[in-house]
Amino acid sequence: MIVSCLRALLSHWRRNPVQLFAYLAGLALATALWSGVQAINAEARASYDAAATTLGEGQYDLLIPWQGDRIPLDDYISLRRSGWLVSPVIVGRLDDIQLVGIDLVTSATGLGTGNVTSVPLALASETLLANEDTAQKLGPLVNVTVDASIAPGMAVGDIGLVQRLLGRDDLSHLVLLPDQSLGQPDLSVIVPSLRIQRAQQVTSISQLTNSFHLNLTAFGLLSFAVGLFIVHSTIGLAFEQRRGMIRTLRSLGVPLRILLTLIAIEMLTLAAIGAGFGIVLGYLIAAFLLPDVAATLRGLYGAEISGTLELRASWWVSGLLLALVGTAAALSSRIWQIAKMPLLASVRPRAWVIATASRFRLQSIIAVSLLSATILLGLFVKGLVAGFALLGCLLIGAALALPALAASILTLLQRYTTAPVWTWFWADTRQQLPGLSLALMALLLAVSANIGVSTMVSSFRLTFVSFLDQRLAPELFVQVETKDQSIALAAFLDLRKIEVLPLSKTQVSITNKPVALYGVRVGPTYRNNWVFLDETDGAWDLVAHDTAVVVNEQLARRAGIWVDDLVQVAPDLALPIAAVVGDYGNPQGQVIVSENLFQNLHPDLYPSQFGIRTTEAPALRAQLVNTADIDNNAIIDQASIKALSLEVFERTFVVTAALNILTLGVASFAILMSLLTLADLRVPQLAPVWALGLTRQRLGWLELLRAVLLAAIVVVCAIPLGLTLAWVLLTIINVEAFGWQLPMYLFPLEYVQLGGFALVAAFLAAMWPAIRLMRTPPSSLLRVFASER
Amino acid sequence: MNVKVIVFLFLWPFGVLAQGFSGLGTGGDGFTMPKPQPAFSFPADHGPHPEYRIEWWYITANLNSPDGTTYGLQWTLFRTALAPGEALGWQSPQIWFGHASVTTPDQHFATERFARGGIGQAGVEASPFRAWIDEWALQGADFDLMNLTANGPDFGYDMLLQATGPLVLHGDKGYSVKSAEGQASYYYSQPFFKIGGTLKLPIGDIEVTGDAWLDREWSSQPLSDDQTGWDWFSLSFDSGAKLMGFQLRQTDGSLYSSSTWIGSDGATTSYADGAFGATPLSTSLIEGKDVPTSWRVTLPDQGVDVFVKAMNPDAWMGLSIPYWEGPVNVSGSHTGQGYLEMTGYE
Amino acid sequence: MVLKFEAVHKSFRDSEGTVPVLRGISFDLEAGQTLALTGESGSGKSTLLHIAGALEAADAGRVWVAGQELTQLNDSGRAALRRTDIALVFQQFNLIPSLTVAANISFQSALSGQVDQTHVEQVVDALGLSDQMKKYPEALSGGQQQRVAIARAIAAKPKLMLADEPTGNLDEGTAEDVLEQMLKLVAQTGAALMVVTHSTNIAARMDRRLQLRSGLLV
């Protein structure tokens, strides 16, 4: 019985391959972008973890210099000889690869931990450990042992070997081992030039890159939702069409329970197959996007992620499960319907009943409540979770409101039409709304998300470019390594009467968070170029007179302080805030004081960075290298920094654009599938109109027009929704997640273009069904009237 | 001497990897081999011998506080070489380990340190004598008067050592044979140290005095493959005489022993395999392992037949090289105290 | 006794209250007998047939099919009975549109796992369906579709065959043909047949005739 029954159930798909395709493809699409994005996120996260593990970041407290990034070996020995249990680390770049040298004998994961087998190996064979990619890049330069657990772009080896490769004899930082001994003297007595950086104070790469991954996840979730719309409507249609078969099966004696079980197994198995395709597709998408994502992350955050994708259970299982749960949810209501359906219920497919009048009303009520919730959340609730709840309410509420809104627009249009064909057209379009509403909602979500995200990204770019102009006013930047160099360079520039902007920098702790303290020379460059978010009158004068500070937005928001509030700059010095400055893309708090005040607070520190104003950058550069003994690599010109920063953004745009196209593609596929599956059921409706004298050609064109028109209604709704979305992302989510607010800019041309894409997508999606209609043989139309049907 | 077995087994791969497998024979690897009939030259031989694979400076002490409580103390600096010789900086093939412990009647504290040679973090200089790793040190103007310090997370000590007798050479003029196949090391001791100072314990500082015993040993050869562990005794009798004896346990159940009888004036009598006997009488369960913590020890030639019992059976050194090392009480034909080290019971 | 009704009552609820449809129906039907059930539209003919076919349950009274009392059976018991002992032919929509004619014909017997291939072939031949076996139902005329439905019913070797206006959708000549073949095959299998019809012509061909009026047999 089960075999015959299954055969009968499955024969439906064989006779309706388009429906089967829609079902599988819907699931595949739902799963694909989601798991693709998750694959990228998982890969990145694994890379960050590997990097953190490799560097010991965030696990151990570190000793780092107050200034610069070099520690003499003698300081290490002094610390050990006074009972400080620290282990030396050297970090440096060899071409594109970050070399990490550790002392396997003292390291926290070395000899003392019982993990001894690898220690002598690495010590004795003078080999670097790196993953396969990195190992290939290192090539014949050095002995490399492949170790997949090493973070991408990094190579780890014995400190002696790494020092030799880097041509250095000093250290970068010291790892403070967890168990210290009795009788340890104060750090300031032994090596005053070092300070302890607590493990939990380190801003990890994964925190830094959260915004980026959030962006990706949002796209993935969106396309998942759209895919599920397709699945939901296909399941609905398939059930409606199989009502007759189900009645026959039951009247021939198939017990209800067996029938329902078989249907559930059938649909879930197909769902698993669809999701399987989706996962393969997701892998391909991820592999395609990964290089650009990797480039963006490297450029924006200096985060290295692996260039090759691993098949990790975390993402493909989650994709599969999500697809199955989504399908099961859509299935359960249908199964419930069959269970409750009288055995001899009507056999005619009720395509127009997919959404009944009462359901329509319910949908509108839910939409109104969700939109009200959106407003309430926006007004009264704070926090990241509330921000996301707000986004969810807004998007779902707007999507659910769409059919009702579209219906009223169509009613209005109908009222103002007198020509009978058009009256019929509007009425017929309105009647079709329920069948198309899921696809239209999907399109609405896709278009508005695209508008929202591209507004956000473009706003970010505009802001960032103008921010770069403010901040990168000096034509040359010079980095010095030692105090002598610093003094010599200052004197050299002084002599030539060149405007120079020395920058001193150190880390301080304000409200228990690490904050960068900068000492600047207040002058025309700062006064003319920096744009404050908020300021008191004569802000720079106050800073120049050592009576106030400038803080960045991140610090201000995180610490809940603003202009005129006090900042504890040093244990015995609190100064008011003269201005708050926007500081985009930087996760860390900053306090800016005059160079004078900085010198008083930290007399041992010297300016390590110099910005130089000059109209003859190349000539001065040559002079600095030849006369002032500055390494050419230590000088960067403004243009190349800007180019580098902007290139990062171009990469981000490539990723965003690719995701835009993919989500729009998914949405137009949803329209195509809805139209195709509705096409057969439309025949009885179109037949009378045809009989009354409208040609099939005319009907076909009207069908096309209908699709484009509905898409136009969707686009009109999507623009305000998308802008609201962008506003929420910029002023709520961004502030809650990253501590800074971005000004919102509008890009009308882009929206027009996007709207155009959506219309074209709808047109293309409607084309096939329309052509099919134009070619429908008159006999099929006639059969509608035959008594046999 | 001491954690020799384990250290040998543990460090063996170092040497193999450093040299490739070509020198796997008993004497190869480019290390110098101990030869019979050595002639030590002091103070130079108090310093390191980097051309030998392994070496140690090893102090154990039995201590008493004014209230009569007994304590034990250990301080060891090990040197092991990946390749013979010394070089400056991180390229040095020498690796140093420090072990320190304090045993009280009911507690045992142990800790360890690691260091690379060549960079100044650890090392030994013969004259003036200085052996150090991190802030731990054994140092003095000469070998007869030295300060000794070590610290762990929950304990530490500061001691002064003063020699009251001569150096003692084991085996044949300091050539100590370790197996029937002839594996051997250079081995001398200073068993006549008076010691005094401060123990830093969680309950507070405790002033103590007592007797200490220093062992110096260096070699290049691992023990035989069939030797699984080691029981080593350094006993100081109330009569003033002392006994050093060890036995190597072999896989077939047989033993290889060696011992030195040290008169109160420092005169020595060395005994070859078989003269010295040590039989476990009872074991204690420590960290899931059965460790013999009371022994019958005999050296019939000197009329020794004593009962040796751990002062605190729980003297397990749970370090990266685990072993048992702690103070013992001696009763029977002779009375006194001493130190016991046992390896290969994990 | 293949079918027995004893004081069967059935009513339906609609917007105006409870509408009695059957008000105490008693009759029985022997193996090999044919019975016509006639009556005006809404007289309860179809409801009576559905109750006999174990598709619906009576409100009161007792019904036996092939010796089993329906009120004693649960859903799966009734499903099993439908599978093995009853065959149904409706006015239309009898067939599974996505299965071929051949699969449709052997479907019910396949459900109970007792396909008698020779028997099926005889039935197919008798109904003149041999050339249609590979087609799908939508490619057949109405008369052919009903022949397929009858073939499926006969192929299942039921004890009780129930037909609800089996020729109601067919023109007169075709209807005559189909009815003729059905009666011949039923006679061969020895099943009992109850036909619901409003055609006096068809009723006249049956062994017995019952007429329903206002929920009672007259």
Side-chain angles (χ1 to χ4, degrees):
Chain A
M1 172 166 64
I2 286 171
V3 174
S4 322
C5 214
L6 258 184
R7 196 173 295 151
L9 283 173
L10 289 175
S11 68
H12 172 79
W13 300 114
R14 211 171 50 236
R15 296 288 289 166
N16 296 278
V18 171
Q19 226 174 69
L20 176 65
F21 178 69
Y23 185 59
L24 293 179
L27 276 156
L29 288 175
T31 322
L33 210 49
W34 167 258
S35 48
V37 161
Q38 290 307 312
I40 289 178
N41 285 349
E43 199 58 52
R45 232 168 270 133
S47 292
Y48 304 152
D49 287 352
T53 314
T54 309
L55 289 173
E57 253 171 15
Q59 297 168 61
Y60 302 104
D61 294 349
L62 303 180
L63 297 189
I64 58 174
W66 283 101
Q67 173 150 34
D69 55 3
R70 308 284 178 99
I71 301 175
L73 179 65
D74 287 351
D75 283 357
Y76 166 62
I77 301 300
S78 303
L79 283 165
R80 290 293 309 205
R81 295 291 303 276
S82 63
W84 277 76
L85 299 184
V86 291
S87 181
V89 177
I90 181 169
V91 181
R93 287 211 156 262
L94 188 70
D95 302 329
D96 270 354
I97 295 154
Q98 191 170 26
L99 294 187
V100 181
I102 56 173
D103 173 21
L104 293 152
V105 168
T106 51
S107 97
T109 51
L111 265 184
T113 57
N115 176 28
V116 287
T117 47
S118 64
V119 175
L121 178 72
L123 268 185
S125 54
E126 295 242 301
T127 182
L128 288 175
L129 300 178
N131 75 10
E132 196 140 9
D133 278 357
T134 318
Q136 263 164 21
K137 283 192 209 150
L138 281 166
L141 200 68
V142 62
N143 237 331
V144 187
T145 306
V146 172
D147 180 338
S149 72
I150 302 293
M154 280 191 192
V156 183
D158 181 59
I159 191 158
L161 174 63
V162 172
Q163 275 191 347
R164 212 166 61 234
L165 290 172
L166 294 174
R168 285 170 53 180
D169 58 1
D170 53 11
L171 309 169
S172 296
H173 61 256
L174 303 174
V175 174
L176 192 55
L177 301 178
D179 292 319
Q180 294 289 320
S181 286
L182 296 178
Q184 209 174 54
D186 268 0
L187 181 62
S188 58
V189 176
I190 310 298
V191 186
S193 61
L194 297 182
R195 65 187 185 87
I196 297 178
Q197 176 181 273
R198 297 289 167 201
Q200 60 270 24
Q201 284 181 356
V202 177
T203 316
S204 68
I205 273 293
S206 54
Q207 276 169 284
L208 283 184
T209 50
N210 265 343
S211 68
F212 191 81
H213 293 298
L214 199 69
N215 208 339
L216 289 181
T217 307
F219 267 115
L221 213 55
L222 182 76
S223 118
F224 185 77
V226 171
L228 275 193
F229 277 137
I230 303 176
V231 170
H232 202 275
S233 61
T234 323
I235 288 180
L237 203 74
F239 272 73
E240 287 303 332
Q241 291 192 339
R242 290 203 288 187
R243 287 167 81 96
M245 178 193 292
I246 287 163
R247 185 192 86 145
T248 306
L249 287 174
R250 288 194 64 193
S251 67
L252 291 179
V254 177
L256 182 62
R257 187 172 310 175
I258 289 184
L259 190 60
L260 294 182
T261 312
L262 286 178
I263 289 176
I265 291 173
E266 174 210 20
M267 297 304 277
L268 287 174
T269 309
L270 288 177
I273 294 172
F277 280 123
I279 286 163
V280 172
L281 208 59
Y283 184 89
L284 295 176
I285 291 174
F288 167 71
L289 288 179
L290 197 62
D292 281 321
V293 170
T296 302
L297 288 167
R298 188 182 309 122
L300 270 184
Y301 311 101
E304 285 289 344
I305 74 170
S306 167
T308 48
L309 203 59
E310 265 183 62
L311 201 66
R312 290 173 205 277
S314 63
W315 61 263
W316 71 259
V317 170
S318 86
L320 192 65
L321 278 181
L322 221 59
L324 288 179
V325 168
T327 309
L331 258 181
S332 56
S333 69
R334 297 295 163 176
I335 293 211
W336 179 251
Q337 272 179 16
I338 297 179
K340 291 289 130 193
M341 185 170 84
L343 201 156
L344 294 173
S346 160
V347 176
R348 287 198 181 280
R350 306 173 306 155
W352 324 121
V353 193
I354 287 175
T356 58
S358 68
R359 189 149 168 188
F360 212 63
R361 214 166 28 244
L362 180 72
Q363 229 179 41
S364 304
I365 292 171
I366 297 176
V368 169
S369 7
L370 282 174
L371 291 175
S372 322
T374 309
I375 294 170
L376 290 179
L377 279 168
L379 286 179
F380 300 115
V381 190
K382 290 253 169 286
L384 193 56
V385 176
F388 278 109
L390 190 156
L391 269 191
C393 287
L394 174 67
L395 287 177
I396 299 171
L400 290 176
L402 179 68
L405 200 66
S408 30
I409 291 175
L410 290 170
T411 313
L412 221 67
L413 286 169
Q414 190 183 351
R415 192 173 302 158
Y416 291 105
T417 317
T418 43
V421 172
W422 291 104
T423 311
W424 166 80
F425 178 76
W426 297 126
D428 189 60
T429 306
R430 198 154 47 98
Q431 198 201 7
Q432 282 218 74
L433 263 185
L436 282 170
S437 65
L438 280 171
L440 295 179
M441 289 185 212
L443 185 66
L444 176 73
L445 287 184
V447 176
S448 53
N450 281 336
I451 289 174
V453 172
S454 51
T455 301
M456 182 173 91
V457 175
S458 300
S459 294
F460 191 20
R461 171 147 86 164
L462 268 192
T463 312
F464 195 73
V465 169
S466 75
F467 166 75
L468 285 181
D469 287 339
Q470 282 177 44
R471 287 298 176 91
L472 299 181
E475 283 73 20
L476 284 181
F477 294 86
V478 181
Q479 178 88 36
V480 297
E481 297 290 344
T482 66
K483 191 163 191 166
D484 293 347
Q485 263 187 331
S486 176
I487 295 168
L489 178 65
F492 177 86
L493 293 168
D494 235 26
L495 207 66
R496 285 161 182 76
K497 302 267 180 277
I498 295 170
E499 186 190 348
V500 59
L501 305 167
L503 187 67
S504 307
K505 176 182 163 188
T506 189
Q507 293 281 322
V508 294
S509 187
I510 290 178
T511 59
N512 249 335
K513 290 275 174 199
V515 169
L517 180 71
Y518 287 94
V520 303
R521 179 173 297 170
V522 178
T525 302
Y526 286 103
R527 291 175 191 271
N528 299 339
N529 287 289
W530 281 40
V531 180
F532 293 128
L533 299 177
D534 195 7
E535 59 187 307
T536 51
D537 289 340
W540 280 120
D541 290 334
L542 294 172
V543 174
H545 291 117
D546 302 348
T547 52
V549 301
V550 171
V551 302
N552 71 351
E553 185 187 4
Q554 282 82 328
L555 175 65
R557 291 194 190 275
R558 206 179 296 139
I561 49 179
W562 207 251
V563 171
D564 290 338
D565 293 336
L566 289 179
V567 174
Q568 200 74 34
V569 181
D572 50 0
L573 180 64
L575 289 176
I577 297 174
V580 177
V581 65
D583 187 14
Y584 303 102
N586 171 15
Q588 209 187 15
Q590 286 180 0
V591 175
I592 294 146
V593 300
S594 72
E595 60 174 338
N596 225 353
L597 180 58
F598 189 92
Q599 274 305 308
N600 291 341
L601 292 172
H602 300 278
D604 295 341
L605 303 185
Y606 52 89
S608 55
Q609 247 182 42
F610 292 84
I612 302 171
R613 303 306 309 264
T614 172
T615 46
E616 289 144 11
L620 184 60
R621 184 182 190 124
Q623 263 190 341
L624 286 170
V625 173
N626 297 327
T627 320
D629 198 25
I630 301 286
D631 193 301
N632 195 35
N633 289 331
I635 307 173
I636 309 174
D637 61 74
Q638 182 200 49
S640 49
I641 298 187
K642 277 189 190 166
L644 202 74
S645 311
L646 290 178
E647 194 205 27
V648 166
F649 269 90
E650 295 316 318
R651 296 292 195 147
T652 317
F653 275 103
V654 172
V655 174
T656 312
L659 290 173
N660 268 347
I661 291 170
L662 285 171
T663 44
L664 263 185
V666 171
S668 56
F669 182 78
I671 297 178
L672 171 68
M673 285 304 134
S674 301
L675 290 174
L676 273 183
T677 42
L678 285 177
D680 290 341
L681 306 173
R682 293 270 297 145
V683 172
Q685 292 189 329
L686 291 175
V689 191
W690 169 74
L692 291 177
L694 250 61
T695 62
R696 287 172 294 152
Q697 255 65 26
R698 183 86 190 277
L699 283 173
W701 281 110
L702 284 176
E703 290 290 296
L704 266 180
L705 179 64
R706 185 195 328 276
V708 174
L709 214 104
L710 288 172
I713 292 178
V714 167
V715 168
V716 168
C717 298
I719 290 175
L721 180 61
L723 294 181
T724 317
L725 177 70
W727 183 81
V728 172
L729 285 173
L730 290 173
T731 53
I732 300 182
I733 302 280
N734 217 49
V735 174
E736 295 297 344
F738 317 116
W740 35 273
Q741 186 175 352
L742 276 172
M744 180 162 150
Y745 297 97
L746 296 183
F747 305 87
L749 266 182
E750 262 182 57
Y751 309 148
V752 170
Q753 204 180 8
L754 259 171
F757 281 150
L759 296 189
V760 170
F763 181 84
L764 291 176
M767 210 150 73
W768 184 17
I771 290 174
R772 272 194 6 174
L773 176 65
M774 291 180 191
R775 292 187 184 157
T776 305
S779 64
S780 337
L781 287 168
L782 274 175
R783 207 185 296 166
V784 172
F785 305 109
S787 59
E788 299 174 19
R789 283 295 279 227
Chain B
M1 53 194 281
N2 322 17
V3 256
K4 166 172 308 184
V5 174
I6 293 307
V7 170
F8 260 137
L9 290 175
F10 170 62
L11 293 176
W12 179 228
F14 279 54
V16 170
L17 287 158
Q19 299 298 317
F21 287 88
S22 58
L24 243 181
T26 41
D29 304 353
F31 289 103
T32 306
M33 307 301 297
K35 292 177 194 68
Q37 302 282 333
F40 294 146
S41 151
F42 297 113
D45 276 324
H46 293 318
H49 302 81
E51 64 278 14
Y52 291 82
R53 193 197 300 278
I54 52 165
E55 183 160 18
W56 51 76
W57 294 257
Y58 210 118
I59 289 173
T60 54
N62 295 94
L63 303 166
N64 295 287
S65 66
D67 67 2
T69 314
T70 55
Y71 299 90
L73 166 158
Q74 179 211 346
W75 188 100
T76 315
L77 183 63
F78 298 96
R79 179 188 64 75
T80 179
L82 303 178
E86 181 57 302
L88 271 183
W90 297 104
Q91 313 315 320
S92 161
Q94 306 294 332
I95 293 177
W96 299 83
F97 304 65
H99 286 190
S101 71
V102 167
T103 311
T104 75
D106 47 15
Q107 275 183 294
H108 181 76
F109 304 91
T111 190
E112 66 188 321
R113 295 291 176 86
F114 301 94
R116 294 274 283 271
I119 56 168
Q121 188 193 341
V124 176
E125 290 161 5
S127 183
F129 183 77
R130 190 161 82 105
W132 78 97
I133 181 167
D134 297 339
E135 84 279 24
W136 299 6
L138 172 66
Q139 57 189 338
D142 59 39
F143 215 61
D144 291 340
L145 187 64
M146 295 190 286
N147 286 104
L148 176 70
T149 59
N151 289 302
D154 48 358
F155 77 102
Y157 48 74
D158 270 310
M159 297 284 156
L160 183 69
L161 298 169
Q162 187 162 17
T164 57
L167 295 176
V168 165
L169 310 185
H170 298 285
D172 183 7
K173 296 180 180 153
Y175 181 80
S176 169
V177 179
K178 294 290 187 286
S179 79
E181 288 100 83
Q183 270 94 348
S185 67
Y186 292 132
Y187 182 12
Y188 70 85
S189 298
Q190 171 47 283
F192 296 107
F193 274 125
K194 286 291 172 201
I195 185 171
T198 311
L199 292 179
K200 292 178 277 185
L201 297 177
I203 52 165
D205 288 1
I206 296 165
E207 296 303 318
V208 290
T209 55
D211 298 299
W213 177 310
L214 180 145
D215 270 344
R216 283 276 293 120
E217 191 157 6
W218 64 100
S219 176
S220 293
Q221 289 172 299
L223 295 175
S224 296
D225 289 343
D226 61 355
Q227 294 179 324
T228 61
W230 178 266
D231 309 306
W232 174 85
F233 298 79
S234 65
L235 307 178
S236 298
F237 301 123
D238 294 338
S239 62
K242 294 169 193 292
L243 169 63
M244 186 292 296
F246 61 82
Q247 61 183 18
L248 286 149
R249 302 188 301 279
Q250 304 178 137
T251 42
D252 61 0
S254 67
L255 300 166
Y256 183 88
S257 77
S258 173
S259 57
T260 306
W261 177 263
I262 305 164
S264 53
D265 58 353
T268 59
T269 316
S270 293
Y271 293 95
D273 183 26
F276 173 86
T279 317
L281 297 176
S282 68
T283 61
S284 303
L285 190 68
I286 303 162
E287 308 254 325
K289 292 155 275 254
D290 268 325
V291 182
T293 47
S294 69
W295 292 79
R296 182 181 174 204
V297 170
T298 55
L299 183 63
D301 200 54
Q302 296 288 346
V304 174
D305 187 349
V306 294
F307 176 59
V308 172
K309 187 172 182 299
M311 183 188 96
N312 175 358
D314 192 13
W316 185 254
M317 304 288 286
L319 305 178
S320 47
I321 309 160
Y323 57 100
W324 193 101
E325 172 115 26
V328 293
N329 293 315
V330 181
S331 56
S333 68
H334 295 65
T335 58
Q337 55 190 358
Y339 243 80
L340 167 61
E341 180 194 86
M342 299 177 284
T343 66
Y345 287 101
E346 76 265 22
Chain C
M1 209 75 71
V2 177
L3 176 66
K4 181 177 171 68
F5 269 54
E6 194 178 280
V8 169
H9 288 256
K10 178 79 181 176
S11 44
F12 287 109
R13 220 174 264 281
D14 70 4
S15 51
E16 283 146 33
T18 309
V19 183
V21 181
L22 302 178
R23 300 190 298 170
I25 303 291
S26 302
F27 72 95
D28 42 37
L29 186 61
E30 309 261 357
Q33 259 189 350
T34 58
L35 171 75
L37 189 61
T38 61
E40 291 169 7
S41 286
S43 62
K45 305 185 298 278
S46 292
T47 304
L48 194 154
L49 180 114
H50 293 164
I51 291 174
L55 295 168
E56 278 179 53
D59 295 339
R62 305 208 284 173
V63 179
W64 289 264
V65 174
Q68 299 209 55
E69 194 191 336
L70 295 186
T71 45
Q72 303 290 321
L73 298 174
N74 59 13
D75 182 63
S76 63
R78 287 198 297 275
L81 190 69
R82 283 203 299 276
R83 223 160 41 230
T84 52
D85 293 335
I86 302 174
L88 291 152
V89 178
F90 294 105
Q91 189 173 350
Q92 57 180 353
F93 298 126
N94 280 295
L95 306 177
I96 294 174
S98 49
L99 291 180
T100 59
V101 168
N104 262 294
I105 291 176
S106 52
F107 194 78
Q108 188 173 0
S109 37
L111 275 183
S112 47
Q114 350 178 293
V115 187
D116 178 344
Q117 205 51 51
T118 353
H119 178 58
V120 170
E121 276 163 25
Q122 283 168 5
V123 173
V124 167
D125 281 346
L127 287 166
L129 291 169
S130 312
D131 296 340
Q132 321 291 338
M133 295 300 273
K134 285 182 180 157
K135 292 184 181 164
Y136 284 90
E138 63 177 21
L140 302 183
S141 71
Q144 284 169 325
Q145 288 190 12
Q146 285 308 81
R147 282 194 186 89
V148 174
I150 290 164
R152 179 182 68 197
I154 305 285
K157 295 187 191 167
K159 295 199 174 76
L160 175 64
M161 184 159 155
L162 301 167
D164 191 354
E165 302 281 12
T167 59
N169 252 0
L170 308 179
D171 63 72
E172 217 170 301
T174 315
E176 186 59 33
D177 264 7
V178 168
L179 185 72
E180 195 65 44
Q181 285 156 346
M182 182 169 80
L183 287 174
K184 213 169 90 188
L185 288 166
V186 169
Q188 279 171 15
T189 56
L193 170 70
M194 178 163 79
V195 181
V196 166
T197 180
H198 59 266
S199 150
T200 45
N201 194 13
I202 292 174
R205 307 281 298 268
M206 303 296 147
D207 300 341
R208 292 167 56 197
R209 276 156 297 279
L210 291 173
Q211 194 184 4
L212 261 177
R213 190 180 297 154
S214 311
L216 294 167
L217 288 173
V218 294

